[in-house]
């Protein structure tokens, strides 16, 4: 889960324990081992940059559509 980035929900279900319990264990482990996580690979960094750009683009579109919806909402009243 920590090494494989599997969702806590699924792992907790497989182990037959509460999601909150497993989440607490994972949090405690991460706090105890802070700074020990391996660095991102080159491909992981590239994918992260792609996702960050996509996120920025989508946020801009949502903002634009939010502003545009006010204009179009007046047209149909």
């Amino acid at each position: 889960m920590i090494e494989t980035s599997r969702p806590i929900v699924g792992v907790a279900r497989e182990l037959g324990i509460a999601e909150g319990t497993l989440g607490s264990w994972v949090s405690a482990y991460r706090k105890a081992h802070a700074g020990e996580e391996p660095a991102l690979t080159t491909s992981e960094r590239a994918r992260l940059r792609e996702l960050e750009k996509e996120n920025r683009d989508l946020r801009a579109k949502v903002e634009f559509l939010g502003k545009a919806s006010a204009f179009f909402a007046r047209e149909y009243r």
Side-chain angles (χ1 to χ4, degrees), residues 12-65:
R13 191 175 302 128
E14 287 176 23
L15 296 173
I17 59 175
E19 176 185 339
T21 301
L22 183 57
S24 297
W25 294 346
V26 169
S27 292
Y29 176 86
R30 286 183 174 153
K31 285 179 186 174
H33 296 88
E36 294 180 17
E37 298 231 2
L40 296 176
T41 65
T42 304
S43 63
E44 289 172 330
R45 275 194 208 102
R47 180 68 177 141
L48 181 59
R49 278 192 302 275
E50 289 172 14
L51 292 172
E52 287 171 338
K53 182 185 181 314
E54 181 181 351
N55 190 7
R56 281 190 307 273
D57 293 346
L58 291 172
R59 286 179 185 270
K61 288 178 183 179
V62 166
E63 182 180 348
F64 173 79
L65 290 173

Side-chain angles (χ1 to χ4, degrees), residues 1-12 14 22 26 30:
M1 174 185 47
I2 292 172
E3 293 84 14
T4 62
S5 299
R6 292 178 52 203
I8 288 176
V9 176
V11 174
E14 287 176 23
L22 183 57
V26 169
R30 286 183 174 153

